[in-house]
C-alpha cells in the first residue's frame, strides 16, 4: 500500500513537471517558472530524480544567464547524487545517464553565454565524453547536433547563444 502511494505521488509530480514543460514550450516562461519553483519547494532532497528534472527545465525558463547556470548546476548535483545512489534509484539510472550529455551541454552553453570560454569548452568536452549513452533516436540525435553546433560556435569565437 505504501509503495502504491509513493508511486502515485511520483506519477503526479511527473505530470505536473510535464505540464510546466508544456507551458514553457508554449511560450509562457513566467508561468512555467512559477510552477517549477512551486514543485522545487514541494519536493524533498530525497526526491533526487524529481529535483534533477525540475532544475534541468527550470534553468531554461531563466532570463538571467547566471541564474540559468545555477539551476543547471543544481540539476547536475541532483543527477550526481542520484547516480551515486544506484541501489535505491536503480530504475532511474538509465534515464539519468542519458540526461548527462544534455546537462553538460547546458552548462557549456551557460558558460558560453557568460563569455567564459574555458569552462564552456570543459563542459562541452564532458558532454562529448558521455554522448555515447544516448540512443540513436530523435532526442539523442538532437543532443549530439547541439553539441556539434556549440563546438562550432566556440571554435568560431561566436557569442550567439
Amino acid at each position: 500500500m505504501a509503495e502504491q502511494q509513493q508511486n502515485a505521488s511520483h506519477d503526479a509530480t511527473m505530470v505536473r513537471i510535464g505540464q510546466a514543460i508544456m507551458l514553457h514550450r508554449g511560450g509562457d516562461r513566467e508561468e512555467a517558472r512559477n510552477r517549477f519553483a512551486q514543485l522545487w519547494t514541494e519536493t524533498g532532497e530525497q526526491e533526487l530524480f524529481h529535483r534533477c528534472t525540475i532544475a534541468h527545465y527550470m534553468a531554461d525558463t531563466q532570463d538571467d544567464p547566471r541564474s540559468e547556470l545555477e539551476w543547471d548546476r543544481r540539476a547536475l548535483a541532483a543527477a550526481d547524487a542520484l547516480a551515486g545512489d544506484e541501489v535505491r534509484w536503480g530504475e532511474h539510472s538509465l534515464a539519468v545517464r542519458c540526461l548527462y550529455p544534455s546537462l553538460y551541454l547546458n552548462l557549456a552553453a551557460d558558460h558560453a553565454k557568460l563569455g567564459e570560454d574555458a569552462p564552456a569548452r570543459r563542459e562541452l568536452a564532458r558532454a562529448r565524453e558521455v554522448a555515447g549513452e544516448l540512443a540513436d533516436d530523435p532526442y539523442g540525435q538532437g543532443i549530439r547536433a547541439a553539441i556539434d553546433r556549440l563546438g562550432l560556435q566556440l571554435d568560431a569565437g561566436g557569442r550567439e547563444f
Side-chain angles (χ1 to χ4, degrees):
M1 182 76 159
E3 186 176 327
Q4 287 176 333
Q5 288 175 333
Q6 184 179 12
N7 287 341
S9 173
H10 172 78
D11 292 344
T13 301
M14 291 307 293
V15 166
R16 291 176 61 208
I17 290 170
Q19 290 169 338
I21 292 168
M22 290 189 315
L23 283 167
H24 179 247
R25 289 184 179 161
D28 195 346
R29 288 174 62 132
E30 185 175 349
E31 182 59 25
R33 186 172 36 243
N34 292 338
R35 290 196 188 189
F36 285 128
Q38 182 64 38
L39 283 161
W40 183 262
T41 301
E42 292 173 10
T43 57
E45 303 233 353
Q46 290 72 35
E47 298 176 74
L48 294 169
F49 186 73
H50 291 144
R51 303 277 282 185
C52 178
T53 306
I54 293 164
H56 183 58
Y57 287 102
M58 175 66 126
D60 294 338
T61 69
Q62 301 304 301
D63 297 323
D64 175 56
R66 291 237 175 255
S67 295
E68 185 174 0
L69 176 61
E70 286 308 311
W71 280 105
D72 280 327
R73 285 179 173 157
R74 287 179 184 136
L76 180 61
D80 286 345
L82 186 58
D85 195 8
E86 293 276 343
V87 174
R88 183 169 174 213
W89 294 96
E91 72 271 16
H92 297 301
S93 63
L94 177 61
V96 172
R97 282 197 322 268
C98 291
L99 192 56
Y100 272 104
S102 179
L103 293 172
Y104 293 138
L105 172 62
N106 287 354
L107 287 167
D110 296 341
H111 286 295
K113 287 176 193 173
L114 293 166
E116 300 169 348
D117 195 56
R121 290 180 185 283
R122 181 189 67 234
E123 297 300 341
L124 189 61
R126 292 171 77 184
R128 285 183 175 131
E129 287 174 16
V130 295
E133 294 287 339
L134 296 168
D136 189 21
D137 60 10
Y139 173 78
Q141 293 164 3
I143 297 297
R144 282 189 204 83
I147 290 169
D148 291 343
R149 277 192 309 275
L150 182 56
L152 290 171
Q153 289 172 334
L154 287 172
D155 289 345
R159 296 285 175 237
E160 298 177 22
F161 303 104

